[in-house]
Amino acid sequence: MIGSRIVQLNIHLSKVQFNFYHQTSMASLLVPPTSIRGKNSLDYEAFNITLKNIPCVVLADQYLRQFINKLRPFFLKFRSFKSVQSLETIDGQYIVYLDPRKIKNVTDVLKKEILWNKLYKEVELKLSYINWQPHEVLNAILPEDIEVPTSFSQVGHIIHLNLRNEQLPYKNVIGQVYLDKIPNVKTVVNKVNIIDNVYRNFAMEILAGEQNTMVSVKENGCIYHFDFSKVYWNPRLGTEHFALVNFMKKGDVLYDIFAGVGPFAVPSARKGIRVLANDLNPESYKWLVKNAQVNKVTDLLMAFNKDGREFLKVDVKKDIVERREKNDNGSEHIVMNLPALAVEFLDVFENWLSSEEIDKVCLNPPVVHVYCFIKASKSDDFYALAKLYIEKKLGYNLPSESLLNIHQVRNIASNKEMMRVSFLLTKNMLKEEPAMKKLKHVNDNDDDNFLGNNGEEQEQDKECI
Ligand SMILES: C[S@@+](CC[C@H](N)C(=O)[O-])C[C@H]1O[C@@H](n2cnc3c(N)ncnc32)[C@H](O)[C@@H]1O
């Protein structure tokens, strides 16, 4: 039994003798028993073990204060276990558990300084399931040739795993271990396929815990509610959401073409940016509206539920043209975060506006922030490739005065990056000028060079896109 006070302590006086053999045999004991290897159900009792000959020193509190910093590097560490505990039987006395794998050195350190022979003990230590880290438990359970899943995302109370095929026979035990071990988790899910649907959510299987996928999460100071099984949400995009909102200024306007449940839209409105936010998924739209209410930004955020192309062609255009007529201040930002497909929407800007509208709109050109995936080898220049890709889709070389920024958002898989390209919608981009379109439709099959297969995540090791 382990706690802050020792309930049972079997102290054996021993001579301070350690040799290499002792250290290695102890090391192999400091992991959970392997008798459970290959089981696909969790036998909690199997993790109850007693470690013998655990080195420790028993110190009165004044010595503890004196030596604690010297002893600290040698502490024996387990989950939910205190390396220093007060002795229940003797007031003012403390036991400091030491790691037998490091004891050779501690002998050297302390021998000269304290009455080592009197203070040094070896004790028995009982451990149970609570004392092992999730990877230690899973290392003991999974067959040796199966890698322990260590990366996962947490979305509210949900742990989201992306298990490999060979891990699937153990999916329930893996789910249970994460449910038991990660604080505040109530549900563990596994992604059952790659994201290849329109709404970018993924089918999921609940492995352990409550059958509840309704979550509340906080990101960049805003609260979001949504059903994780029905909408897109990626906790790894928080930094990007922050960066883009930070880039925009109070008084600007955001047109969020693929808004999801609002992680760009809601904080922007909070900042005093007027927002027109759209998503095709009715479920995302429902939560976008709700999240605008919850975060008290309904006066600045208008939500739409339509195809992004239609939204750009009709609503965004109308709003920008009206703003020019009213001589409104501030910049306009068109944000297109649908990395696998957003570039296919760039052709909307051809014939988007009449000549007269182009002249007015380009007095203060709107900024487009388009996201894409770039697949290339590590030595390649992802920035140059992203620029090339957007130019190819626009059918226009982006001159330096139009190109505002190219940003590496995050790594998706080995040799695959999510990139953001920000550029000004200048006159020549909006005008259909055949000479400028020479890049267009040339080598359309080259897309595979940028995207990989279907522009989708094929590797199983990373999370949703
Ligand atoms: C990658 S998610 C991005 C969501 C959000 N902007 C974010 O950063 O988390 C893309 C979103 O685009 C939506 N979507 C997909 N196709 C669309 C389309 N043709 N028109 C509008 N929205 C679309 C999906 O429902 C999804 O919510």
Side-chain angles (χ1 to χ4, degrees), residues 57 59 62-71 74 105-119:
V57 281
L59 296 169
Q62 74 268 26
Y63 287 118
L64 182 69
R65 265 180 269 125
Q66 191 178 339
F67 292 113
I68 186 117
N69 286 336
K70 282 215 166 87
L71 286 167
F74 307 99
N105 301 332
V106 82
T107 316
D108 296 341
V109 171
L110 292 185
K111 207 157 56 172
K112 300 172 206 120
E113 310 218 27
I114 57 176
L115 299 169
W116 177 253
N117 278 324
K118 283 194 187 155
L119 302 176

Side-chain angles (χ1 to χ4, degrees), residues 98-152:
L98 304 171
D99 189 326
R101 291 164 295 192
K102 302 170 184 167
I103 193 67
K104 205 169 173 212
N105 301 332
V106 82
T107 316
D108 296 341
V109 171
L110 292 185
K111 207 157 56 172
K112 300 172 206 120
E113 310 218 27
I114 57 176
L115 299 169
W116 177 253
N117 278 324
K118 283 194 187 155
L119 302 176
Y120 179 82
K121 316 282 178 208
E122 284 185 6
V123 297
E124 277 187 2
L125 188 60
K126 290 185 192 302
L127 298 179
S128 67
Y129 179 72
I130 60 159
N131 298 117
W132 305 108
Q133 298 291 353
H135 70 272
E136 291 173 322
V137 173
L138 292 174
N139 249 326
I141 295 175
L142 297 188
E144 271 160 324
D145 57 342
I146 294 183
E147 207 179 310
V148 169
T150 47
S151 78
F152 56 83

